[in-house]
Amino acid sequence: MNESYVVRSMYDYFKLAGKSAIVTGAGNGIGAGIAETLSSLGVNVVACDIDDEALTNTVRRLNEAGGTVTAVHCDIRSAEDIDRVIQTAQAQYGGVDILVNNAAGCGGGKKLDDMNDAEWDRLIELNLTCVYRFIMRVLPVMRAKQSGKIVNISSGAAITGDWSDPHYAAAKGGVISLGRELAVELAKDHIYINTIAPGLIRTRMVLPWESVEANNILVGRLGEPSDIGATTAFLSSAASDFFTGQVLCPNGGSWMY
C-alpha cells in the first residue's frame, strides 16, 4: 500500500480538508500543537493569541510547511477581538466549522489561604467566562450552516484536583460542565461539543518538573502538544460524529476516568 493512498484514505476518513477552524492560544504549547495538527490535515486555520511575536513565529512555520494559517491578535477577554477573529474566518475561509477554545491562564501556585476575590475572578473569567463568550459569539455562524464542532480544552486538575490553584481547577471543571450542558442544547443544530482534559503536557510551565512528573505516568513520558493535537483532530472530524458532551483525557495513564 503506497503512502499517497494512505494519506488520501486518512483525509477521506476524517473529512477535515477544506474546513475552517479557529484555535485560541495558538502561539505556544498545546495551542500551537493543535494548530499544527489541524493544518497538516488540510484545515484552514485562524490562529489567535495575545502574544503577537509567538503567534507570528508559529503561523510562519506552519505556512512554510504548506499550511493555510492566518494570524489574528486576540485577547479573549475582549468581545471586539473575538468578533474580529470570527469575521476573519468568515471573510477568508467562508465560515467557522471548528472552534477550539484553548487559551487560558494559570494561577501561579496559589493556595486557598493566598486567595482573594480579585484573583478568583481573574481566573474564572479567563478560563471559563471567556470560553462561554467565544462560543456564544460563534454560534450564529454555526447555526446558519446547521453544523459545527467545538472542542474545549480543560485540565486534569478539573478531575483529580491539584496541589494549588483552586480557582484554576474550579474554572476548568466549569469548562467540562459547560460543554455537557451546551451539548444537550446544541445537538438539534448539529453542533457537537466535547472537552479534552489533558494530563501533563511538555510545555514551558511543566519543563522544570519534567523528570519528577514523568515518574507518575504509566507510559513513562510527558505528553506532547501533538498528542492533544491528535485528540483535537479526532473530535473536530467526521470520525467523531457520534461524540458530543464527552470528556477525553489524554494523560498517559496518570489516571483513568
Side-chain angles (χ1 to χ4, degrees), residues 22 82-91 96 134 137-138 141:
I22 292 170
I82 292 172
D83 286 341
R84 185 167 54 253
V85 172
I86 295 169
Q87 289 160 7
T88 299
Q90 291 179 287
V96 182
F134 218 124
R137 301 185 90 82
V138 86
V141 180

Side-chain angles (χ1 to χ4, degrees), residues 88-152:
T88 299
Q90 291 179 287
Q92 295 198 11
Y93 304 134
V96 182
D97 300 302
I98 301 157
L99 170 63
V100 183
N101 282 306
N102 166 75
C106 293
K110 293 178 176 61
K111 300 286 190 178
L112 186 62
D113 290 341
D114 302 321
M115 195 61 53
N116 58 55
D117 287 354
E119 172 63 13
W120 176 273
D121 291 344
R122 179 187 73 85
L123 223 58
I124 295 295
E125 180 190 14
L126 188 58
N127 289 346
L128 177 56
T129 306
C130 290
V131 171
Y132 155 81
R133 186 177 296 134
F134 218 124
I135 291 172
M136 291 299 291
R137 301 185 90 82
V138 86
L139 275 182
V141 180
M142 290 184 170
R143 278 179 163 150
K145 295 180 67 173
Q146 283 291 285
S147 68
K149 295 291 182 81
I150 299 173
V151 180
N152 295 328

